[in-house]
Amino acid sequence: VSLTVTAAALVGGSILAWELRCTRNRLKAFVLWASVLLPLWMSTIIRNYAFTILLQRRGIGNDLLMAVGLTDEPIRLLYTDGAVFLGILYYMMPYAVLPLYAMFVRIDEDLMRAAQSLGSSYIGAFASVVIPLSVPGFLATGAIVFVVALGFYITPLLLGGPQSQFLATAISTQIFNLF
C-alpha cells in the first residue's frame, strides 16, 4: 500500500504542483493551495473519522456510486485496503506537492518556451525539459512519502479494521499482544 500511495502521490502531487506553478488565476491558486494545505491543518483522528463517514455503507461514497449507476446496492468501501489507501494518500499529498512545487519553481519557464519554439509540443517540451530536470526532486519526494506512509498506524486501524496487517499494526501486535 505504501508503494502505491507513493506512486499516486507522485503523479497527483506533480500535477497539482505544476498547476500551482503555472496558474495565473488567483482564485484557482487559492483553491489549489487550500486543497493542498487542508490535510496539514486537520487532526489525524478527525480526518480518519471523516473518511469513515464518507466510506460507510450508507455514506456519501456509496450514495454517489449508486447515483451514477455503478452499483445497484451499497458496497463495502470501509475496512478495505482501498480505504486505507485513500486515507494515507489524502494525508501524504501535501508532503508530495510542497517539495515538487519547490522544485518546479526553480525550473526556468524559458526552457519550456525554447523547446516549444524549436518545434516541440507542450507535452513534448515537458517530457524533454521538465522531467529530466526534476528527477532528483521526484526521488527525494518519493523517499519522503514512502517512509512516512510506511509508518502509519491509526489510519490502517480505523479505515482498514483490526484485521488489516500493515507494518505498524503488525509491530504493535507483536509487542503488546504476543509480548
Side-chain angles (χ1 to χ4, degrees):
V1 171
S2 295
L3 278 174
T4 57
V5 165
T6 301
L10 284 173
V11 170
S14 62
I15 292 168
L16 271 171
W18 186 255
E19 191 60 34
L20 279 166
R21 190 232 188 277
C22 293
T23 189
R24 301 290 180 244
N25 184 335
R26 294 182 126 195
L27 179 62
K28 183 179 180 181
F30 174 78
V31 170
L32 288 173
W33 275 117
S35 68
V36 166
L37 297 175
L38 185 65
L40 291 175
W41 297 334
M42 289 188 348
S43 161
T44 301
I45 301 298
I46 291 171
R47 185 178 42 249
N48 285 318
Y49 277 118
F51 270 105
T52 60
I53 291 169
L54 290 172
L55 299 175
Q56 62 188 341
R57 274 190 94 56
R58 293 290 176 189
I60 297 170
N62 267 316
D63 290 345
L64 184 65
L65 289 174
M66 290 188 300
V68 174
L70 293 175
T71 63
D72 295 330
E73 59 187 39
I75 60 173
R76 183 177 173 200
L77 297 174
L78 193 59
Y79 306 125
T80 62
D81 285 348
V84 175
F85 169 81
L86 285 175
I88 296 174
L89 179 65
Y90 180 73
Y91 182 80
M92 294 309 301
M93 282 304 284
Y95 293 97
V97 172
L98 293 173
L100 291 172
Y101 174 77
M103 176 199 50
F104 286 150
V105 167
R106 293 179 46 207
I107 297 174
D108 191 2
E109 287 181 36
D110 290 337
L111 295 173
M112 285 280 292
R113 283 193 283 270
Q116 287 175 312
S117 70
L118 292 172
S120 183
S121 67
Y122 183 82
I123 300 294
F126 186 83
S128 63
V129 173
V130 175
I131 300 238
L133 290 173
S134 57
V135 167
F138 277 108
L139 293 175
T141 302
I144 292 168
V145 171
F146 179 74
V147 168
V148 174
L150 200 57
F152 269 73
Y153 176 73
I154 196 74
T155 300
L157 202 58
L158 290 176
L159 298 180
Q163 78 281 358
S164 66
Q165 282 299 314
F166 290 84
L167 185 60
T169 54
I171 291 171
S172 172
T173 302
Q174 289 292 323
I175 292 173
F176 297 113
N177 296 347
L178 304 175
F179 301 107

